[in-house]
Amino acid sequence: MSEPLLKVRDLTQHFKVSRSFTVKAVNGVSFDIYPGETYGLVGESGSGKTTIGRSIIRLYDPTAGSVQFQGKEISGKLDRATESMLRKDMQMIFQDPMSSLNPRKKVGDIIGEGLDIHHRYSNTAERDAAISEMLEKVGLSTAHAERYPHQFSGGQRQRVGIARALVMNPKLIIADECISALDVSIQAQVVNLMKDIQDSTGCAYLFIAHDLSMVKYISDRIGVLHLGYMVETGTTEEIFANPVHPYTKSLLSAVPLPNPEVEKRRHSVAYDRAKEGVDYAAGTIHQLEGTHTVLATDEEFARWTA
Amino acid sequence: MEMNEKAILQFVDIDISFRTNAGVVHAIRGVNLDLQKGETVAIVGESGSGKSVTVKAAVGLLDGNATVNRGQILYRFKNNDGTEKVVDLLKMSKRELRTTVNGSRIAMVFQDPMTSLDPTMTIGKQIMEGMIIHKRADKAAAYARALELLELVGITDPEKRMKNYPHQLSGGMRQRVVIAIALASDPDILICDEPTTALDVTIQARILELIKDIQARLGLSVIYITHDLGVVAKVADYVNVMYAGKIIEVGNVNEIFYDPKHPYTWGLLAAMPDLETDDDRLASIPGSPPNLLHEPTGDAFAPRNRYALKIDEIADPPMFQVSDTHFAATWLLHPDAPKVEMPAELRERIERSKKEAERYL
Ligand SMILES: Nc1ncnc2c1ncn2[C@@H]1O[C@H](COP(=O)(O)OP(=O)(O)OP(=O)(O)O)[C@@H](O)[C@H]1O
Ligand SMILES: Nc1ncnc2c1ncn2[C@@H]1O[C@H](COP(=O)(O)OP(=O)(O)OP(=O)(O)O)[C@@H](O)[C@H]1O
Ligand SMILES: [Mg+2]
Ligand SMILES: [Mg+2]
């Protein structure tokens, strides 16, 4: 296989909230993303998915561990050239569209901002055409360029964030819950668009989501995060065909189906780490078949694979 | 307009437009919707179809550039002396709404949690505030209840989390705090706008069960906006499908999922990937929704509808009745219309769903 585009090693991110309370958001997480692939990151709410994304794109300074992008270490201090390369080649689509879009700017200018900074056009007509084209691609219209973020519906705003990232043609896009506020038909449209862009530009995605059917559909490989630990990784087939970790199992069992007679009667399998006495800090990475791995103590591993 | 006897909240022919730089956007074009006591009504539909604007009108939170052209939102409640009263929420001033209805009687969970949280105040204070103002609870009681609510929405270490500011929480935690704030006031009506979009399925299931439980105990009525059809199947008694500012199909949850009549509803149900989907591309509804800067002539869905009839280009279809509870606005239901069946793939999927359901009966 080719060299990874992104290499994350033992990434740790702790937040000291007060003298007596430190949130251990991410604990020794490692994974690689290869050019042109989609890596799905799933996990419980609060498990550290957004924090991982924000640490990679340098919005947080990691407590420990390393992040390499295109062969360059990018955690810690950077020279101007690397900084500029990152701004161009790595983009993030944020989970909370309202707070990531400047409320005083028109949407057209928000999408055009990156193009402006990197002088990606030779005249304004070209710039406006690029913005219009992007708006249409995400299912909005040229007239929307004149509006302000608060004048949009939730899903429309989410698509503005997607357009802003895609217009830059980056090599890696960190997409944090980028389709969760969209109805299924627009989700399909946006996911198809992301796939098309990937086919034509070879970009890679770190696709953070909680919707397993979508993650299964779009990802080549998957990492399952729980309480800041990567508890299971593997190809999409490996994870879905043979989930081993009890959290992954409960996640797969809880997907609500569009079938009212079933849903009204079904109860999901809950997983309570404390009750089952699973100790993540004591676990080590155990290899299953192929690339499939699970975090477990020897005893847990024996029990889960029995 | 006499209010429907059983309804607690009734939207009657709501029509709203927005002034924008590009012109007037006619976003809501005659919406009717009933909510009965103790029931859950879901609103689903395309992004931008008007779900949020419709419910925001009920709580007086429309943007400044909005105009309500027509309609009433009738709300029935018990006065403190026990007498019943019906008011039109659209006739009340923002101030009246805030002091008498919002928060205490009708609580809303917004789509974008950051917009309803105060970034400068700890979440503990924010949960307690409403209880102290609306319920005149004393501080200790409010504190205890806030802890309990945080625990119920699945936030661990609640004592410590009470002191967190919103930016110190994950997206899904913020969403759950907003739900806790809404529940803190023991409302009659809970309006949830995409309340679980950022939650993984295990926590989502827990929140949905919590709301159901409160509903069973206190007779809470719920309006639930979501695009997640699995969630709709789980929580809803009735489903309203919205398209381009109108409700185009309504029915009880089984009618909508097992016997949908409107081609847009067909498209919506077919677009949902299930865990068995492995086609190369997802089915989406081709084209885009109409630009409501220009009033559509005929049926707004016609340009994207492969089953459209000639008449769709000329006249907007009325609601045709399918059963006591099931209505759809499509000319295909007119007695003179040619007989058109739903797409075969959807038919098969529904048949599979029904078979699956038999195992649970
Ligand atoms: N700036 C911060 N200060 C303090 N704690 C933080 C900060 N950012 C995140 N956290 C904490 O880190 C943990 C992980 O949060 P993160 O946002 O990464 O979760 P997530 O997996 O993205 O969850 P969700 O699915 O709910 O968005 C949470 O406990 C959160 O409270
Ligand atoms: N303040 C505003 N000014 C102009 N247009 C607006 C304003 N607020 C909403 N709109 C428009 O009204 C329409 C309905 O918006 P609404 O927020 O109700 O959609 P929605 O159905 O909730 O969609 P989503 O699923 O994406 O949240 C959209 O086309 C939106 O762009
Ligand atoms: Mg997050
Ligand atoms: Mg909305």
Side-chain angles (χ1 to χ4, degrees), chain A residues 49-50 95 176-177 208, chain B residues 170-172:
Chain A
K49 303 179 295 295
T50 298
Q95 180 169 8
D176 191 0
E177 300 279 5
I208 301 175
Chain B
S170 79

Side-chain angles (χ1 to χ4, degrees), chain A residues 147 150-156 181, chain B residues 18 20 27 46-53 63 65 111 194:
Chain A
R147 284 203 211 163
H150 75 269
Q151 299 182 321
F152 283 88
S153 80
Q156 289 168 338
Chain B
F18 291 101
T20 71
E46 183 127 334
S47 172
S49 60
K51 306 179 295 293
S52 299
V53 170
D63 279 327
N65 62 337
Q111 188 164 10
E194 304 277 8

Side-chain angles (χ1 to χ4, degrees), chain B residues 210-276:
Chain B
L210 170 68
I211 293 175
K212 267 197 172 168
D213 179 54
I214 296 176
Q215 202 160 18
R217 277 192 296 125
L218 303 177
L220 178 70
S221 314
V222 181
I223 296 182
Y224 209 103
I225 299 177
T226 177
H227 62 271
D228 187 330
L229 298 172
V231 170
V232 174
K234 191 174 173 82
V235 302
D237 300 306
Y238 290 92
V239 183
N240 290 267
V241 185
M242 227 173 149
Y243 186 80
K246 283 197 168 160
I247 296 201
I248 51 96
E249 183 159 10
V250 56
N252 71 35
V253 67
N254 286 2
E255 289 166 334
I256 299 293
F257 279 86
Y258 302 135
D259 189 24
K261 294 294 186 197
H262 197 288
Y264 174 69
T265 313
W266 295 346
L268 204 61
L269 291 170
M272 179 163 178
D274 50 21
L275 289 172
E276 269 90 67

Side-chain angles (χ1 to χ4, degrees), chain A residues 2 5 25 39 45 47 56 58 67 70 73 99 117 131 140 155 185 187 233 247 264 281 283 301:
Chain A
S2 57
L5 177 69
Y39 193 92
S45 169
S47 61
I56 292 172
R58 295 175 55 81
V67 180
Q70 310 201 67
E73 180 61 46
S99 46
I117 294 172
I131 294 168
L140 297 173
S185 168
Q187 265 188 6
T233 63
Y247 176 67
K264 295 245 154 59
F301 186 72

Side-chain angles (χ1 to χ4, degrees), chain B residues 134-147:
Chain B
H134 296 304
K135 299 274 157 203
R136 296 171 208 255
D138 67 59
K139 241 183 136 181
Y143 184 84
R145 175 83 178 126
L147 276 187

Side-chain angles (χ1 to χ4, degrees), chain B residues 301-315:
Chain B
F301 186 57
R304 304 170 71 187
N305 182 3
R306 66 173 144 130
Y307 307 100
L309 306 171
K310 261 251 119 27
I311 187 167
D312 279 306
E313 286 159 33
I314 308 157

Side-chain angles (χ1 to χ4, degrees), chain B residues 142-153:
Chain B
Y143 184 84
R145 175 83 178 126
L147 276 187
E148 184 194 359
L149 282 165
L150 282 178
E151 196 117 53
L152 282 172
V153 295

